[in-house]
Amino acid sequence: MSTQNLLVELFVEELPPKALPKLGAAFANTLAASLQAQGLAAADAVITPYATPRRLAAHITGVLGKAQDKAVQIKLMPVAVGLDKDGQPSPALLKKLQALGLDASAAAQLNRQQDGKAEALFLDTVESGATLEAGLQKALDEAIAKLPIPKVMTYQLHTGCELPGWSSVQFVRPAHGVVALHGGSVVPVQALGLHAGKSTRGH
């Protein structure tokens, strides 16, 4: 899969000058760690934080548009619970399979493996990799929530919200813009009541 560099920027009002290095590093590192955990960024990705009085940003190299699918094994239940004395699926197993979006025919594909002292039924499946849009949204939410801010302020949103003038968010300073670029393409994420675009601003 091809990769592109990712740039994420929050454009805000004047940030506390003494906190800039810590805020910039925390924002970039949390963002990158979340993307790496989701398989969207490599462990050796180069992470560059930026922090100025009016912006927090992170540049991360080699980010995928979609993480690779991965094989996963799901433990369903002990064999004694999942199969009756004739080896047929029990109602409990059928209900569990149904919750996973599978029908009774999937019971024949289950693996029996020792799990501690008892034998259990396991389902081998493939988990679809996260898309960059969903993965970056999760990472951005985490990065903002984990910023080392001793005191946040609450302010009202006037556009792009459910109740203009009444809906509010909390952050260290009011935010006025979000940039999220994967190569030259905008990643449509949201933060602090703002929709990401590709335009930044000067001081």
Side-chain angles (χ1 to χ4, degrees), residues 82-95:
L83 302 177
D84 62 22
K85 61 182 180 180
D86 299 319
Q88 297 302 307
S90 68
L93 178 57
L94 293 175
K95 186 176 180 180

Side-chain angles (χ1 to χ4, degrees), residues 105-117:
S105 64
Q109 310 299 320
L110 301 179
N111 292 320
R112 297 171 66 149
Q113 293 181 29
Q114 201 66 25
D115 183 53
K117 293 182 179 180

Side-chain angles (χ1 to χ4, degrees), residues 55-195:
R55 75 192 72 239
L56 290 175
H59 183 269
I60 304 167
T61 62
V63 175
L64 293 163
K66 181 181 181 297
Q68 292 184 341
D69 296 345
K70 60 180 180 180
V72 294
Q73 191 174 64
I74 303 171
K75 179 185 173 183
L76 300 180
M77 60 187 62
V79 170
V81 176
L83 302 177
D84 62 22
K85 61 182 180 180
D86 299 319
Q88 297 302 307
S90 68
L93 178 57
L94 293 175
K95 186 176 180 180
K96 182 72 172 179
L97 291 172
Q98 186 179 20
L100 294 170
L102 302 169
D103 57 26
S105 64
Q109 310 299 320
L110 301 179
N111 292 320
R112 297 171 66 149
Q113 293 181 29
Q114 201 66 25
D115 183 53
K117 293 182 179 180
E119 198 176 19
L121 295 171
F122 290 84
L123 172 68
D124 291 323
T125 185
V126 175
E127 188 177 273
S128 182
T131 63
L132 180 57
E133 180 180 347
L136 180 57
Q137 185 64 66
K138 179 182 177 184
L140 189 54
D141 291 342
E142 289 178 10
I144 291 172
K146 293 181 179 179
L147 280 175
I149 303 169
K151 188 176 180 181
V152 296
M153 64 180 293
T154 301
Y155 60 94
Q156 279 66 47
L157 300 173
H158 296 283
T159 58
C161 59
E162 186 179 350
L163 297 171
W166 291 90
S167 294
S168 63
V169 295
Q170 291 186 323
F171 195 52
V172 59
R173 294 288 187 271
H176 297 288
V178 179
V179 172
L181 283 175
H182 185 231
S185 303
V186 173
V187 185
V189 293
Q190 300 178 45
L192 304 172
L194 301 166
H195 295 267

Side-chain angles (χ1 to χ4, degrees), residues 11-56:
F11 183 76
V12 298
E13 292 183 12
E14 206 78 15
L15 292 166
K18 292 181 180 179
L20 284 177
K22 186 184 291 186
L23 290 173
F27 180 72
N29 291 336
T30 303
L31 198 70
S34 181
L35 292 174
Q36 288 167 338
Q38 296 177 75
L40 289 163
D44 61 353
V46 179
I47 305 154
T48 309
Y50 298 94
T52 70
R54 294 202 175 190
R55 75 192 72 239
L56 290 175

